[in-house]
Amino acid sequence: MHAPGNGPVFAIYYSVLAVFGVPANLMTIVILSRGRCGLSGCITLYLVSMAVTDLLVIITAVILSRLRAIYFPVSFLSTTPGCSLVIVLSCASRDSSVWLTVAFTFDRFIAICCQELKMRYCIEKTATVVIGMVCMLCCLKNIPFYFIFEPMYITNNVPWYCSIKEITYVSVPWRVFDWLDRILTPCLPFILILLLNVLTVRHILAASRARRRLRAHSNGEKQSDPEMESRRKSIVLLFAISGSFLLLWLTYVVNFLFVQITGNNYSIGSNSNDPKFILQESGYMLQLFSSCTNTCIYAGTQTKFREELKDAIKYSFNLITKWHK
């Protein structure tokens, strides 16, 4: 837990993030839910669930937490129960988004590398169960966060703002919980996604070489390969999503490792030009930005999604024009 950065840079950045992120994720949910993008039902379920959790991250972590603190520092959500609830919801939606990315990466790993298991695992029923379990476990895992805060002060019997209880710094169970939280998000997902991508790349390279030799021997070198073309599109989508996650969470992971190794964390009240502050806030800003990138990835890698997006934008523009008239 940390105090969000305050100032014009943060106000502008988080405002732009909210203005772009909310409609982008809403449009993604609507387009993918219509099932006209040429994706399998299994992939569509994962992508829709990721868009929903990304939208929740924007609402809870950006709008209700950071923008609320900047523009409305005194409100109902500034009370201790209010800000505690927002923190729990932010962490739960963040964890769900991260682990659904892991689940999607694992699903594509099975589809590409494990053909015998593919028919049993890469189906809509399995995807529904996995998505439900991931979201439920992430919600349960973050409930303890509601109880680690105490009010900074009490006015007219109303507790205001959230301060971490001192016992959480010395209590062994709380310290273990804090370590598990940091390991589960994002360190373990970061390692799993990187490992799965490496294994997938190795399998693809080996399979491609074998397939080229086989086709060159039977049909000639220049024959097209529809199966490889279809697989290529799936691979591009997988690597774009997981690669974006790894890149945008890298600063956060580096900051976490730096703090754990050196024990030299940024302290509230220090100079905002402090490199430790810059590293910490950059990590959080890039982490939240990752909740807005998938729409751009789908538009850049999926032709049918791009066409549906253009139609949706034209339809929205026509509605606005008619409304003004």
Coordinates of all heavy atoms in Angstrom, one line a residue, residues 15-100:
S15 N -6.1 11.2 -15.4 CA -7.4 11.7 -16.1 C -7.4 11.1 -17.5 O -8.5 10.6 -18.0 CB -7.4 13.2 -16.2 OG -7.5 13.8 -14.9
V16 N -6.3 11.2 -18.3 CA -6.2 10.7 -19.6 C -6.4 9.2 -19.6 O -7.2 8.6 -20.4 CB -4.9 11.0 -20.3 CG1 -4.7 10.3 -21.6 CG2 -4.7 12.5 -20.5
L17 N -5.9 8.5 -18.6 CA -6.0 7.1 -18.5 C -7.5 6.7 -18.3 O -8.0 5.7 -18.9 CB -5.2 6.6 -17.2 CG -4.6 5.2 -17.3 CD1 -3.7 5.0 -18.5 CD2 -3.9 4.9 -16.0
A18 N -8.2 7.4 -17.5 CA -9.6 7.2 -17.2 C -10.5 7.5 -18.5 O -11.3 6.7 -18.8 CB -10.1 8.0 -16.0
V19 N -10.2 8.6 -19.1 CA -11.0 9.0 -20.3 C -10.8 8.0 -21.4 O -11.8 7.7 -22.2 CB -10.6 10.4 -20.7 CG1 -11.2 10.8 -22.1 CG2 -11.0 11.5 -19.7
F20 N -9.6 7.5 -21.6 CA -9.4 6.5 -22.6 C -9.7 5.1 -22.2 O -10.4 4.3 -23.0 CB -7.9 6.5 -23.1 CG -7.6 5.5 -24.1 CD1 -7.9 5.6 -25.4 CD2 -6.9 4.3 -23.7 CE1 -7.6 4.6 -26.3 CE2 -6.6 3.3 -24.6 CZ -6.9 3.5 -25.9
G21 N -9.4 4.7 -21.0 CA -9.5 3.3 -20.5 C -10.9 2.9 -20.4 O -11.3 1.7 -20.8
V22 N -11.8 3.7 -19.8 CA -13.2 3.3 -19.6 C -13.9 3.0 -20.9 O -14.4 1.9 -21.1 CB -14.0 4.3 -18.8 CG1 -15.5 3.9 -18.7 CG2 -13.4 4.3 -17.3
P23 N -14.0 3.9 -21.9 CA -14.7 3.6 -23.1 C -14.0 2.5 -24.0 O -14.7 1.7 -24.6 CB -14.7 4.9 -23.9 CG -13.7 5.8 -23.3 CD -13.6 5.3 -21.8
A24 N -12.7 2.5 -23.9 CA -11.9 1.5 -24.7 C -12.3 0.1 -24.2 O -12.5 -0.8 -25.0 CB -10.4 1.7 -24.6
N25 N -12.3 -0.1 -22.9 CA -12.6 -1.5 -22.4 C -14.1 -1.8 -22.5 O -14.4 -3.0 -22.8 CB -12.2 -1.5 -20.9 CG -10.7 -1.7 -20.7 OD1 -10.1 -2.7 -21.2 ND2 -10.1 -0.8 -20.0
L26 N -14.9 -0.8 -22.4 CA -16.4 -1.1 -22.6 C -16.6 -1.5 -24.1 O -17.4 -2.4 -24.3 CB -17.2 0.2 -22.3 CG -17.5 0.5 -20.8 CD1 -18.1 1.8 -20.7 CD2 -18.4 -0.6 -20.2
M27 N -16.0 -0.8 -25.0 CA -16.1 -1.1 -26.4 C -15.6 -2.5 -26.7 O -16.1 -3.3 -27.5 CB -15.5 0.0 -27.3 CG -15.9 -0.1 -28.7 SD -15.3 1.4 -29.6 CE -16.3 2.7 -28.9
T28 N -14.5 -2.8 -26.1 CA -13.9 -4.1 -26.3 C -14.8 -5.2 -25.8 O -15.0 -6.3 -26.5 CB -12.5 -4.2 -25.5 OG1 -11.6 -3.3 -26.0 CG2 -11.9 -5.6 -25.7
I29 N -15.4 -5.0 -24.6 CA -16.3 -6.0 -24.1 C -17.5 -6.2 -25.0 O -17.9 -7.4 -25.3 CB -16.8 -5.6 -22.7 CG1 -15.7 -5.6 -21.7 CG2 -18.0 -6.5 -22.2 CD1 -16.0 -4.9 -20.4
V30 N -18.1 -5.2 -25.5 CA -19.2 -5.3 -26.4 C -18.9 -6.0 -27.7 O -19.6 -6.9 -28.2 CB -19.8 -3.8 -26.7 CG1 -20.9 -3.9 -27.8 CG2 -20.4 -3.2 -25.4
I31 N -17.7 -5.5 -28.3 CA -17.3 -6.1 -29.6 C -17.0 -7.6 -29.5 O -17.5 -8.4 -30.3 CB -16.1 -5.4 -30.2 CG1 -16.5 -3.9 -30.6 CG2 -15.5 -6.1 -31.4 CD1 -15.4 -3.1 -31.0
L32 N -16.2 -8.0 -28.5 CA -15.9 -9.4 -28.3 C -17.1 -10.2 -28.0 O -17.2 -11.4 -28.4 CB -14.8 -9.5 -27.3 CG -13.4 -9.0 -27.6 CD1 -12.5 -9.0 -26.4 CD2 -12.8 -9.7 -28.8
S33 N -18.0 -9.7 -27.2 CA -19.2 -10.5 -26.7 C -20.1 -10.8 -27.9 O -20.8 -11.8 -27.8 CB -20.0 -9.7 -25.7 OG -19.2 -9.5 -24.5
R34 N -20.0 -10.0 -29.0 CA -20.9 -10.3 -30.1 C -20.4 -11.5 -30.9 O -21.1 -12.1 -31.8 CB -21.0 -9.1 -31.0 CG -21.6 -7.9 -30.3 CD -21.5 -6.6 -31.2 NE -22.4 -6.7 -32.4 CZ -22.4 -5.8 -33.3 NH1 -21.6 -4.7 -33.3 NH2 -23.2 -6.0 -34.4
G35 N -19.1 -11.9 -30.7 CA -18.6 -13.1 -31.3 C -18.4 -13.0 -32.8 O -18.5 -14.1 -33.5
R36 N -18.1 -11.9 -33.3 CA -17.9 -11.7 -34.8 C -16.5 -11.4 -35.2 O -16.2 -11.0 -36.3 CB -18.8 -10.5 -35.3 CG -20.3 -10.7 -35.0 CD -21.0 -9.5 -35.6 NE -22.5 -9.6 -35.3 CZ -23.4 -8.7 -35.7 NH1 -22.9 -7.5 -36.2 NH2 -24.6 -8.9 -35.4
C37 N -15.5 -11.7 -34.3 CA -14.1 -11.4 -34.5 C -13.3 -12.6 -35.1 O -12.1 -12.6 -35.2 CB -13.5 -10.9 -33.3 SG -14.2 -9.3 -32.7
G38 N -14.0 -13.7 -35.3 CA -13.3 -14.9 -35.8 C -12.5 -15.6 -34.8 O -11.6 -16.5 -35.2
L39 N -12.7 -15.4 -33.5 CA -12.0 -16.1 -32.5 C -12.8 -17.2 -31.9 O -14.0 -17.2 -31.9 CB -11.6 -15.1 -31.4 CG -10.8 -13.9 -31.8 CD1 -10.7 -12.9 -30.6 CD2 -9.3 -14.3 -32.2
S40 N -12.1 -18.2 -31.4 CA -12.9 -19.3 -30.8 C -13.6 -18.9 -29.5 O -13.2 -17.8 -28.9 CB -11.9 -20.5 -30.4 OG -11.0 -20.1 -29.4
G41 N -14.6 -19.6 -29.1 CA -15.3 -19.3 -27.9 C -14.5 -19.2 -26.7 O -14.6 -18.4 -25.8
C42 N -13.5 -20.1 -26.6 CA -12.6 -20.2 -25.5 C -11.7 -18.9 -25.4 O -11.7 -18.3 -24.3 CB -11.7 -21.4 -25.6 SG -10.4 -21.6 -24.3
I43 N -11.1 -18.5 -26.5 CA -10.3 -17.3 -26.5 C -11.2 -16.1 -26.2 O -10.8 -15.2 -25.4 CB -9.6 -17.1 -27.9 CG1 -8.6 -18.2 -28.1 CG2 -8.9 -15.7 -28.0 CD1 -7.9 -18.1 -29.5
T44 N -12.4 -16.0 -26.8 CA -13.3 -14.9 -26.5 C -13.6 -14.7 -25.1 O -13.6 -13.6 -24.5 CB -14.6 -15.0 -27.4 OG1 -14.2 -15.1 -28.7 CG2 -15.5 -13.9 -27.1
L45 N -13.9 -15.8 -24.4 CA -14.2 -15.8 -22.9 C -13.0 -15.2 -22.1 O -13.2 -14.3 -21.3 CB -14.5 -17.2 -22.4 CG -15.9 -17.7 -22.7 CD1 -16.0 -19.1 -22.2 CD2 -17.0 -16.8 -22.0
Y46 N -11.8 -15.6 -22.4 CA -10.6 -15.0 -21.7 C -10.5 -13.5 -22.0 O -10.2 -12.8 -21.1 CB -9.4 -15.8 -22.1 CG -9.2 -17.1 -21.4 CD1 -9.2 -18.3 -22.1 CD2 -9.0 -17.1 -20.0 CE1 -9.1 -19.5 -21.4 CE2 -8.8 -18.3 -19.4 CZ -8.9 -19.5 -20.1 OH -8.7 -20.7 -19.4
L47 N -10.6 -13.2 -23.3 CA -10.4 -11.8 -23.6 C -11.5 -10.9 -23.0 O -11.2 -9.8 -22.6 CB -10.4 -11.6 -25.2 CG -9.2 -12.4 -25.9 CD1 -9.2 -12.0 -27.4 CD2 -7.9 -12.1 -25.3
V48 N -12.7 -11.3 -23.0 CA -13.8 -10.5 -22.4 C -13.6 -10.4 -20.9 O -13.7 -9.3 -20.4 CB -15.2 -11.2 -22.7 CG1 -16.3 -10.5 -21.9 CG2 -15.5 -11.1 -24.2
S49 N -13.2 -11.5 -20.3 CA -13.0 -11.4 -18.8 C -11.8 -10.5 -18.5 O -11.8 -9.8 -17.5 CB -12.7 -12.8 -18.3 OG -11.5 -13.4 -18.8
M50 N -10.8 -10.5 -19.3 CA -9.6 -9.6 -19.1 C -10.0 -8.2 -19.3 O -9.6 -7.3 -18.5 CB -8.5 -10.0 -20.1 CG -7.8 -11.3 -19.7 SD -6.9 -12.0 -21.1 CE -5.6 -10.8 -21.4
A51 N -10.9 -7.9 -20.3 CA -11.4 -6.5 -20.5 C -12.3 -6.1 -19.3 O -12.2 -4.9 -18.9 CB -12.2 -6.5 -21.8
V52 N -13.1 -7.0 -18.8 CA -13.9 -6.6 -17.6 C -13.1 -6.3 -16.4 O -13.3 -5.2 -15.7 CB -14.9 -7.8 -17.3 CG1 -15.6 -7.5 -15.9 CG2 -15.9 -7.9 -18.4
T53 N -12.1 -7.1 -16.1 CA -11.2 -6.8 -15.0 C -10.3 -5.6 -15.2 O -10.1 -4.8 -14.3 CB -10.3 -8.0 -14.6 OG1 -9.6 -8.4 -15.8 CG2 -11.1 -9.2 -14.1
D54 N -9.9 -5.3 -16.4 CA -9.2 -4.1 -16.7 C -10.1 -2.9 -16.5 O -9.6 -1.9 -16.0 CB -8.7 -4.1 -18.2 CG -7.5 -5.0 -18.4 OD1 -6.9 -5.4 -17.4 OD2 -7.2 -5.4 -19.6
L55 N -11.3 -3.0 -16.9 CA -12.3 -1.9 -16.7 C -12.4 -1.6 -15.2 O -12.5 -0.5 -14.7 CB -13.6 -2.2 -17.3 CG -14.7 -1.2 -17.1 CD1 -14.4 0.1 -17.6 CD2 -16.1 -1.8 -17.6
L56 N -12.5 -2.7 -14.4 CA -12.6 -2.6 -12.9 C -11.4 -1.9 -12.3 O -11.5 -1.2 -11.4 CB -12.9 -3.9 -12.3 CG -14.3 -4.5 -12.6 CD1 -14.4 -6.0 -12.0 CD2 -15.4 -3.7 -12.1
V57 N -10.2 -2.3 -12.9 CA -9.0 -1.6 -12.4 C -9.0 -0.1 -12.6 O -8.7 0.7 -11.8 CB -7.8 -2.2 -13.1 CG1 -6.5 -1.4 -12.8 CG2 -7.5 -3.7 -12.7
I58 N -9.5 0.3 -13.8 CA -9.6 1.7 -14.1 C -10.5 2.4 -13.2 O -10.3 3.5 -12.7 CB -10.0 1.9 -15.6 CG1 -9.0 1.4 -16.6 CG2 -10.2 3.4 -15.9 CD1 -7.6 2.1 -16.5
I59 N -11.7 1.8 -12.9 CA -12.7 2.4 -12.1 C -12.2 2.5 -10.6 O -12.4 3.5 -10.0 CB -14.0 1.6 -12.2 CG1 -14.6 1.7 -13.6 CG2 -15.0 2.1 -11.1 CD1 -15.8 0.8 -13.8
T60 N -11.7 1.4 -10.1 CA -11.3 1.4 -8.7 C -10.0 2.0 -8.4 O -9.9 2.9 -7.5 CB -11.3 -0.1 -8.2 OG1 -10.4 -0.9 -9.0 CG2 -12.7 -0.7 -8.2
A61 N -9.0 1.6 -9.1 CA -7.6 2.1 -8.8 C -7.3 3.5 -9.3 O -6.5 4.2 -8.7 CB -6.6 1.1 -9.3
V62 N -7.9 3.8 -10.5 CA -7.7 5.1 -11.1 C -8.7 6.2 -10.7 O -8.4 7.2 -10.1 CB -7.6 5.0 -12.6 CG1 -7.4 6.4 -13.3 CG2 -6.5 4.1 -13.1
I63 N -10.0 5.9 -10.9 CA -11.0 6.9 -10.7 C -11.3 7.0 -9.2 O -11.3 8.1 -8.6 CB -12.3 6.5 -11.5 CG1 -12.0 6.5 -13.0 CG2 -13.4 7.5 -11.1 CD1 -13.2 6.1 -13.8
L64 N -11.6 5.9 -8.5 CA -12.1 6.0 -7.1 C -10.9 6.1 -6.2 O -11.1 6.6 -5.0 CB -12.8 4.7 -6.7 CG -14.2 4.4 -7.5 CD1 -14.8 3.2 -7.0 CD2 -15.1 5.7 -7.4
S65 N -9.7 5.9 -6.6 CA -8.5 6.0 -5.7 C -7.7 7.2 -6.0 O -7.7 8.2 -5.3 CB -7.7 4.7 -5.7 OG -6.6 4.8 -4.9
R66 N -7.0 7.2 -7.2 CA -6.1 8.3 -7.5 C -6.8 9.6 -7.8 O -6.5 10.7 -7.3 CB -5.1 7.8 -8.5 CG -4.1 6.9 -8.0 CD -3.5 6.0 -9.0 NE -2.5 5.1 -8.4 CZ -2.7 4.0 -7.7 NH1 -4.0 3.7 -7.4 NH2 -1.7 3.3 -7.1
L67 N -7.7 9.6 -8.8 CA -8.4 10.8 -9.2 C -9.3 11.4 -8.1 O -9.4 12.6 -7.9 CB -9.3 10.5 -10.4 CG -8.5 10.3 -11.7 CD1 -9.4 10.1 -12.9 CD2 -7.6 11.5 -12.0
R68 N -9.9 10.5 -7.3 CA -10.7 10.9 -6.2 C -9.8 11.6 -5.1 O -10.2 12.7 -4.6 CB -11.4 9.7 -5.5 CG -12.4 10.1 -4.4 CD -11.8 10.1 -3.0 NE -11.0 8.8 -2.8 CZ -10.1 8.7 -1.8 NH1 -9.9 9.7 -1.0 NH2 -9.5 7.6 -1.7
A69 N -8.6 11.1 -4.9 CA -7.7 11.7 -3.9 C -7.2 13.1 -4.4 O -6.9 14.0 -3.6 CB -6.5 10.8 -3.7
I70 N -7.1 13.2 -5.8 CA -6.6 14.5 -6.3 C -7.6 15.5 -6.4 O -7.4 16.7 -6.0 CB -6.0 14.2 -7.7 CG1 -4.7 13.3 -7.6 CG2 -5.6 15.5 -8.4 CD1 -4.2 12.9 -9.0
Y71 N -8.8 15.2 -6.9 CA -9.9 16.2 -7.1 C -10.9 16.3 -6.0 O -11.5 17.3 -5.8 CB -10.6 15.8 -8.4 CG -9.8 16.0 -9.7 CD1 -9.3 14.9 -10.4 CD2 -9.4 17.2 -10.1 CE1 -8.6 15.0 -11.5 CE2 -8.6 17.4 -11.2 CZ -8.2 16.2 -11.9 OH -7.4 16.4 -13.1
F72 N -11.1 15.2 -5.2 CA -12.1 15.2 -4.1 C -11.4 14.6 -2.9 O -11.8 13.4 -2.5 CB -13.3 14.4 -4.5 CG -14.0 14.9 -5.8 CD1 -13.8 14.2 -7.0 CD2 -14.8 16.0 -5.8 CE1 -14.4 14.7 -8.1 CE2 -15.4 16.5 -6.9 CZ -15.2 15.8 -8.1
P73 N -10.4 15.3 -2.3 CA -9.7 14.7 -1.2 C -10.6 14.4 0.1 O -10.2 13.6 0.9 CB -8.6 15.7 -0.9 CG -9.2 17.0 -1.4 CD -10.0 16.6 -2.6
V74 N -11.7 15.1 0.2 CA -12.6 14.9 1.3 C -14.0 14.4 0.7 O -14.7 15.2 0.1 CB -12.8 16.1 2.2 CG1 -13.8 15.8 3.3 CG2 -11.5 16.6 2.7
S75 N -14.3 13.1 0.9 CA -15.6 12.6 0.5 C -15.8 11.3 1.3 O -15.1 11.0 2.2 CB -15.5 12.2 -1.0 OG -14.5 11.2 -1.2
F76 N -16.9 10.7 1.0 CA -17.3 9.4 1.7 C -16.2 8.4 1.6 O -15.8 7.7 2.5 CB -18.6 8.8 1.2 CG -18.8 7.4 1.6 CD1 -19.2 7.1 2.9 CD2 -18.6 6.4 0.7 CE1 -19.4 5.8 3.3 CE2 -18.8 5.1 1.0 CZ -19.2 4.8 2.3
L77 N -15.5 8.3 0.4 CA -14.5 7.4 0.2 C -13.2 7.7 0.9 O -12.2 7.0 0.9 CB -14.2 7.2 -1.3 CG -15.4 6.6 -2.1 CD1 -15.0 6.6 -3.6 CD2 -15.7 5.2 -1.6
S78 N -13.2 8.9 1.5 CA -12.0 9.3 2.3 C -12.1 8.8 3.7 O -11.1 8.9 4.5 CB -11.9 10.9 2.3 OG -11.7 11.4 1.0
T79 N -13.3 8.3 4.1 CA -13.4 7.7 5.5 C -12.6 6.4 5.5 O -12.4 5.8 4.4 CB -14.9 7.5 5.8 OG1 -15.4 6.5 4.9 CG2 -15.7 8.8 5.8
T80 N -12.3 5.9 6.7 CA -11.5 4.7 6.8 C -12.2 3.5 6.2 O -11.6 2.8 5.4 CB -11.1 4.4 8.2 OG1 -10.5 5.6 8.8 CG2 -10.2 3.2 8.3
P81 N -13.5 3.3 6.4 CA -14.2 2.1 5.8 C -14.2 2.3 4.2 O -14.1 1.3 3.5 CB -15.6 2.1 6.4 CG -15.4 2.9 7.6 CD -14.4 3.9 7.4
G82 N -14.4 3.6 3.8 CA -14.5 3.8 2.4 C -13.2 3.5 1.6 O -13.2 2.8 0.6
C83 N -12.1 4.1 2.1 CA -10.8 3.9 1.4 C -10.3 2.5 1.6 O -9.7 2.0 0.7 CB -9.8 4.9 1.9 SG -9.2 4.7 3.6
S84 N -10.7 1.8 2.7 CA -10.3 0.4 2.9 C -11.0 -0.4 1.8 O -10.4 -1.3 1.2 CB -10.6 -0.1 4.3 OG -10.0 0.6 5.3
L85 N -12.3 -0.2 1.6 CA -13.0 -0.9 0.6 C -12.5 -0.7 -0.8 O -12.3 -1.7 -1.6 CB -14.5 -0.5 0.7 CG -15.4 -1.2 -0.3 CD1 -15.4 -2.8 -0.1 CD2 -16.9 -0.7 -0.2
V86 N -12.2 0.5 -1.1 CA -11.6 0.8 -2.4 C -10.3 0.1 -2.7 O -10.0 -0.4 -3.7 CB -11.4 2.4 -2.6 CG1 -10.6 2.7 -3.9 CG2 -12.8 3.1 -2.7
I87 N -9.5 0.1 -1.6 CA -8.2 -0.6 -1.8 C -8.4 -2.1 -2.0 O -7.7 -2.7 -2.8 CB -7.3 -0.4 -0.5 CG1 -6.8 1.1 -0.5 CG2 -6.1 -1.3 -0.4 CD1 -6.2 1.5 0.8
V88 N -9.3 -2.7 -1.3 CA -9.6 -4.2 -1.4 C -10.1 -4.4 -2.9 O -9.6 -5.4 -3.5 CB -10.6 -4.6 -0.4 CG1 -11.1 -6.1 -0.8 CG2 -10.0 -4.6 1.0
L89 N -11.0 -3.6 -3.3 CA -11.5 -3.8 -4.7 C -10.5 -3.5 -5.8 O -10.4 -4.3 -6.8 CB -12.7 -2.8 -4.9 CG -14.0 -3.1 -4.1 CD1 -15.0 -2.0 -4.3 CD2 -14.6 -4.4 -4.4
S90 N -9.6 -2.6 -5.5 CA -8.5 -2.3 -6.5 C -7.6 -3.5 -6.6 O -7.2 -3.9 -7.7 CB -7.7 -1.0 -6.0 OG -8.6 0.1 -6.0
C91 N -7.2 -4.0 -5.4 CA -6.3 -5.1 -5.4 C -6.9 -6.4 -6.0 O -6.2 -7.1 -6.7 CB -5.8 -5.4 -4.0 SG -4.8 -4.1 -3.2
A92 N -8.2 -6.6 -5.7 CA -8.9 -7.8 -6.2 C -9.0 -7.7 -7.8 O -8.7 -8.7 -8.5 CB -10.2 -7.9 -5.6
S93 N -9.3 -6.6 -8.3 CA -9.5 -6.4 -9.7 C -8.1 -6.5 -10.4 O -8.0 -7.1 -11.5 CB -10.2 -5.1 -10.1 OG -9.5 -4.0 -9.5
R94 N -7.1 -5.9 -9.8 CA -5.7 -6.0 -10.3 C -5.2 -7.4 -10.4 O -4.7 -7.9 -11.4 CB -4.8 -5.1 -9.5 CG -3.3 -5.2 -9.9 CD -2.4 -4.9 -8.7 NE -2.5 -5.9 -7.6 CZ -1.9 -5.9 -6.4 NH1 -1.2 -4.8 -6.1 NH2 -2.1 -6.8 -5.5
D95 N -5.4 -8.2 -9.3 CA -5.0 -9.5 -9.2 C -5.7 -10.4 -10.3 O -5.1 -11.3 -10.9 CB -5.2 -10.1 -7.8 CG -4.2 -9.5 -6.8 OD1 -3.4 -8.7 -7.2 OD2 -4.3 -9.9 -5.6
S96 N -7.0 -10.2 -10.4 CA -7.8 -10.9 -11.3 C -7.3 -10.7 -12.8 O -7.2 -11.6 -13.6 CB -9.3 -10.5 -11.2 OG -9.8 -10.8 -10.0
S97 N -7.0 -9.4 -13.1 CA -6.5 -9.1 -14.4 C -5.2 -9.8 -14.7 O -5.0 -10.3 -15.8 CB -6.4 -7.6 -14.5 OG -5.8 -7.2 -15.8
V98 N -4.3 -9.8 -13.7 CA -3.0 -10.4 -13.9 C -3.1 -11.9 -14.1 O -2.5 -12.5 -15.0 CB -2.1 -10.0 -12.7 CG1 -0.8 -10.9 -12.7 CG2 -1.7 -8.6 -12.6
W99 N -3.9 -12.5 -13.2 CA -3.9 -14.0 -13.2 C -4.8 -14.5 -14.4 O -4.6 -15.6 -14.9 CB -4.4 -14.5 -11.9 CG -3.3 -14.6 -10.9 CD1 -3.1 -13.7 -9.9 CD2 -2.3 -15.6 -10.9 NE1 -1.9 -14.1 -9.2 CE2 -1.4 -15.2 -9.8 CE3 -2.0 -16.7 -11.6 CZ2 -0.3 -16.0 -9.4 CZ3 -0.9 -17.5 -11.2 CH2 -0.1 -17.1 -10.2
L100 N -5.7 -13.7 -14.9 CA -6.4 -14.1 -16.1 C -5.5 -14.0 -17.3 O -5.6 -14.8 -18.3 CB -7.6 -13.1 -16.3 CG -8.8 -13.4 -15.4 CD1 -9.9 -12.4 -15.6 CD2 -9.4 -14.8 -15.7

